[in-house]
Amino acid sequence: MNLVIYILRRLAISIPVLLVGTFLSFVMVAATGDPLGELRNNPQLSKDAIDALSHKLGLDQGVVPRYFSWLGDFLQGDWGTSIAQGNALQPVAPKVMAAFGVTFKLVVGAEILALVIGIIVGVLAAVKQYSIIDYLATTLAFLLFSMPIFCVAIVLKNYAIEINGWVRDLGLQDVLGNPWLRTTSPEQLKTDGVGDFITSTIGAYLLPTLSIMAISFAAYSRFQRASMLEVMGSDYVRTARAKGLGNGRVIFRHAFRNALIPVTTLFSVNFGSVLAGAIITETVFNWHGMGTLLVEAVSKNDTQVMMGWLVVIATSVIVANLIADLVYGILDPRIRVG
């Protein structure tokens, strides 16, 4: 019962936060300028036609009335239509959700792998403090921290191109001529049958997944190591050791669970930032996801698409934090009571 109340309380907090976030996003997007500015400079469009479009989009109203009008339509599933030249009057929702699906599939796999590997490496580094494992994990983490993600992505792509060249020279590429390591998005691949589709998709996801994993893994492993060391020095762990419990039981039954709480916080914050910041990886590997969509929307001042993008990212961040809050309650029941 306490868990249900805890969940409802977190949901009650999340909804107002999301509403405030959408309002602030709407105000900032409205301040970027006239979304019809490019159309006004088009000599083929009359002033009456542009004024009619402005009235239809509600641009002749104040920011607050426009926000509530937009919010009412949004809650009914109408995200508006694109107003950029070339995309005019195209529905925003399918466009944004298609891009979100591309980025989400890429980021969620990379982040889960980075979290799992980072936790394992962090725990090993803490348990084997000042050992060769600890030194190697620390060196690798700091090395990855010092490399910008675009550098990691470009290095991986260049090495993949070299490897693909060697494979091609040896005549070992697949029957459709696809390279082993894909440097483009899955939508650009030729596939023939289920088996080829699976191998091609894995090859397409491998390099961008490794790029996103690199820095996230470094962060998770360092946080897990620091958290594990702090917990292992606590009074209740020393008491468990004094009672004669084995090292494995002390680590996994007493220390590990509490040491996960800071890493859970980091994961919830990092997931949203990686989801919004995957533009670099998408650009390097030519993926058409949320990053590409945002660049296109900003360059054309397509406010409806920008709002759809911001709402989806804000919702993802809030959902990630809500899940983290629920995990806190599972890891430490005292949080639920508090």
Side-chain angles (χ1 to χ4, degrees):
M1 187 63 183
N2 286 338
L3 181 59
V4 174
I5 296 174
Y6 177 77
I7 293 173
L8 293 176
R9 189 168 63 227
R10 291 302 178 184
L11 284 172
I13 296 173
S14 299
I15 293 174
V17 169
L18 181 58
L19 290 175
V20 172
T22 59
F23 177 74
L24 294 176
S25 298
F26 193 91
V27 172
M28 288 188 291
V29 169
T32 59
D34 184 7
L36 301 181
E38 189 174 353
L39 294 178
R40 295 185 193 279
N41 295 326
N42 189 339
Q44 298 179 351
L45 296 176
S46 65
K47 183 178 182 302
D48 292 338
I50 294 176
D51 290 342
L53 179 59
S54 178
H55 178 73
K56 179 181 179 180
L57 297 173
L59 298 176
D60 54 351
Q61 303 176 19
V63 174
V64 175
R66 281 164 52 194
Y67 167 73
F68 283 106
S69 176
W70 170 86
L71 181 62
D73 292 338
F74 188 87
L75 293 176
Q76 297 177 48
D78 181 8
W79 294 21
T81 55
S82 175
I83 57 178
Q85 285 188 321
N87 297 325
L89 302 182
Q90 289 185 3
V92 169
K95 190 180 185 71
V96 174
M97 294 311 297
F100 177 75
V102 171
T103 302
F104 182 80
K105 287 186 290 187
L106 174 62
V107 169
V108 71
E111 283 296 288
I112 289 176
L113 287 173
L115 180 65
V116 172
I117 298 174
I119 288 174
I120 294 173
V121 172
V123 170
L124 288 175
V127 173
K128 303 291 185 180
Q129 189 180 17
Y130 304 131
S131 68
I132 185 64
I133 295 176
D134 187 18
Y135 289 130
L136 287 175
T138 301
T139 302
L140 179 61
F142 282 122
L143 177 64
L144 293 175
F145 266 134
S146 66
M147 296 178 64
I149 191 169
F150 72 86
C151 181
V152 176
I154 291 174
V155 168
L156 287 175
K157 185 173 183 178
N158 287 338
Y159 274 114
I161 293 173
E162 290 289 335
I163 293 172
N164 288 334
W166 298 338
V167 172
R168 184 178 60 253
D169 293 340
L170 295 173
L172 298 177
Q173 68 268 27
D174 66 26
V175 294
L176 295 178
N178 289 322
W180 284 8
L181 297 174
R182 324 298 194 200
T183 56
T184 57
S185 62
E187 64 192 35
Q188 302 177 26
L189 298 174
K190 299 177 293 183
T191 59
D192 182 19
V194 176
D196 189 59
F197 173 79
I198 293 174
T199 56
S200 296
T201 301
I202 292 174
Y205 274 87
L206 180 61
L207 296 178
T209 297
L210 289 176
S211 301
I212 295 175
M213 273 182 60
I215 298 177
S216 294
F217 157 77
Y220 296 145
S221 64
R222 298 308 297 164
F223 262 75
Q224 183 64 53
R225 178 186 182 275
S227 179
M228 196 73 182
L229 287 174
E230 181 180 357
V231 171
M232 288 175 66
S234 60
D235 292 338
Y236 67 88
V237 171
R238 287 197 294 267
T239 301
R241 292 187 187 278
K243 290 180 177 180
L245 296 179
N247 192 47
R249 188 171 183 182
V250 169
I251 291 172
F252 292 105
R253 290 290 300 274
H254 295 272
F256 178 66
R257 186 169 177 173
N258 286 330
L260 283 177
I261 293 177
V263 182
T264 302
T265 303
L266 177 63
F267 178 80
S268 65
V269 174
N270 193 57
F271 183 82
S273 63
V274 172
L275 191 65
I279 177 174
I280 296 174
T281 304
E282 290 177 1
T283 301
V284 171
F285 294 103
N286 198 24
W287 283 60
H288 303 294
M290 294 292 278
T292 306
L293 180 67
L294 179 63
V295 171
E296 179 184 339
V298 171
S299 64
K300 296 180 178 180
N301 198 20
D302 196 343
T303 56
Q304 297 286 66
V305 174
M306 281 192 279
M307 272 307 302
W309 188 95
L310 287 167
V311 170
V312 168
I313 294 298
T315 303
S316 301
V317 172
I318 289 176
V319 169
N321 281 274
L322 179 60
I323 293 174
D325 288 339
L326 299 182
V327 173
Y328 296 157
I330 295 173
L331 293 175
D332 189 350
R334 293 173 300 177
I335 297 177
R336 297 201 301 264
V337 175

